[in-house]
Amino acid sequence: MRQRSLSALALAAVVGTVLGTAGCTVERHWGGNTTPAGSGKARVGLVTKTDTNPYFVELRNAAGAAAKANGADFHALAGQFDGDNDGQVRAIENLMQQGVNTILITPSSSTGVLKAIKDARDAGVLVIALDTATEPADAVDATFATDNFAAGQQQGAYVKASLGGVDPKLLMVDGTAGSSVDTQRHGGFLKGIGLTDSSPEIKGHTNAGGDQSQAQQGMENLLQRSTDLNAVYSMNEPMGRGAYAALKARGLTGQIVMGSIDGGCEGVQNVKDGLYAATVMQFPKKMAEQGVLAAVEYAKTGKKPTGFVNTGSTVITDKPMPGVPSQNTTWGLQNCWGGAK
Amino acid sequence: MTTATVNGTRERESLGEFLLRAPAVGPALALIVAIVFFSLATDTFFDLDNLSTVVQQSLVVGTLALGQTLIILIAGIDLSNAASMVVATLIMAKLAAAGTNGFVALLAGIALTVLVGLFIGTLVTRIKLPAFIITLGTFTGLTAVAKLIAGGQAVPVTDGLLQWLGTKRYLFGGIPITYGMTLALIMYLIVWYSLTKTAWGKHVYAVGNAPESARLSGIKVNRTVISVYLVAGFCFGIAAWQALGRTPNADPNQFQLGNLDSITAVVLGGTSLFGGRGSVLGTLFGALVVAVLRSGLTQMGVDGNYQDLATGALLIAAVVVDRIARRQQQS
């Protein structure tokens, strides 16, 4: 008997918690509260992929600060994990319910949230994609993002210049297979270094999903096949650290030029410490600020931005190469995102 | 099946019985076949350094799987083990970064995973809810805790003791052995001994086979269950130490599939998800098979998605073998 009442109590607690949580996100009819554009006050909603990644933390903080400086209302929501389309759709619905007139979104997948975006635009909301483009790109009004192909190309050009005319013998550490950012950076890198996917100069590749420990394992396995190398591509900085651990264990760090992409403070510090030769910095703060300014403009005048706005990317290295514009790590540490500056 | 000849049936039965008696034989054979195959298929796989690397790659999942084996033996499951481990790595790293003595930081991390084990074990025995649900909830909560502690920022580890399992190595017959490998082996031996040679081990199997009969025969079922979650929690704490030895960087985004990887190793090792049957020796081979597959296929230049496909196929094959063996035991 006692067991049973305990079980009932536990079940009641679970059900109560579930209902309580659901209450915040319960489905509502929305769209009625949307403030019409041109009426003055900007009400900005931001939807990021997650709310714990330092990149998105920087994006959120910068957008919040810009909104405050411009007298705009600001609400930030996020998915629970990378790829949480459903959570992002719910976030868009909640923001509509709160009556925003601009939504800034870093879509978890380039296609997963298109319907919710269309509903929002149909209701008169300005939608701007930050950081990650949608497919098709005109599913949103405008995209403010890093040109990832260009970022990859800068990394490729740097590595090529560092090799100083020697033929590359390249290992590639890719992210999540098939993701648009991964494809663009990978393609850009190959263009920058002057290779194609079928070039014999590519000695192997591994997909590590952005995970440091997976990158280390994949690299260890690739190095077992051959250590006759001089170049490594890493799609982001955590994977660059993983690849470095594998290279260091083999004593190969001296003969290899490795590049990376992101510009997180830890990544810039890695460059300064010599883990890899260069990283390509992107600027989440710019994306957020420009997005908020566009929202303010839209609220005032009804004018919408259009197309792809490249927020730029910069090579960070302490070993500059002729023909590859770059900044040093001191500049990098002043402009990096995430972590202590 | 039913139309098979008497002779054939008898042979199958004896094979099934054999597998039931020695569940580690199947995975051991799979491991040997995989090693021989990759040694022939590539010029690079069979190399003492590489074999050492493969073992190091399987250490974290192997240590998680050691605890998971105990839990699955009592017909439970732990979906939160990797999340608990990740929180422990963050606690260790954060404390060390704040200047705490490495040994204290290590103990604090292990204490956390043991407490989580106590928490789960208490709920499982008191509330009588399935371990699946309880650990699903713990998993979700701990994942959030990890991200909150980290604040989205990986925490680098420089403390010598926390990296010790990965950095210190010696040569044994030409094979580089890290302290992490040594510790894992010792833990496997202790758990193997406890399961096969002690009363506690017999209780664990009895509780997994038929909890009611175990209770009637005088075994304190709840106490056994809680002890299993505590020992498993200790293993997960050691897995956290292993993880920092491999990658001296505590990152909340790592090992997101560690729980499933540990279950894969246990099942590949021939332990039955229905409890009561299996061995830690099998789990050791199961964890190694996965690492061997990944390493060998990578060296053959096989795409990562096909590696996952191969692991999945092997997993299903292992479950089918378990099912057939069980059915023959019952008939």
Side-chain angles (χ1 to χ4, degrees), chain A residues 45 47 92 95-96 100-105 120 125-129:
Chain A
V47 184
I92 291 173
L95 289 171
M96 298 285 290
V100 300
N101 43 31
T102 296
I103 290 178
L104 309 172
I105 180 167
V125 174
L126 167 68
V127 180
I128 297 173

Side-chain angles (χ1 to χ4, degrees), chain A residues 223-246:
Chain A
L223 291 177
Q224 181 60 26
R225 189 160 70 169
S226 170
T227 53
D228 183 21
L229 307 163
N230 54 20
V232 170
Y233 158 83
S234 71
M235 182 266 194
N236 73 9
E237 287 159 357
M239 295 197 296
R241 289 190 277 278
Y244 174 81

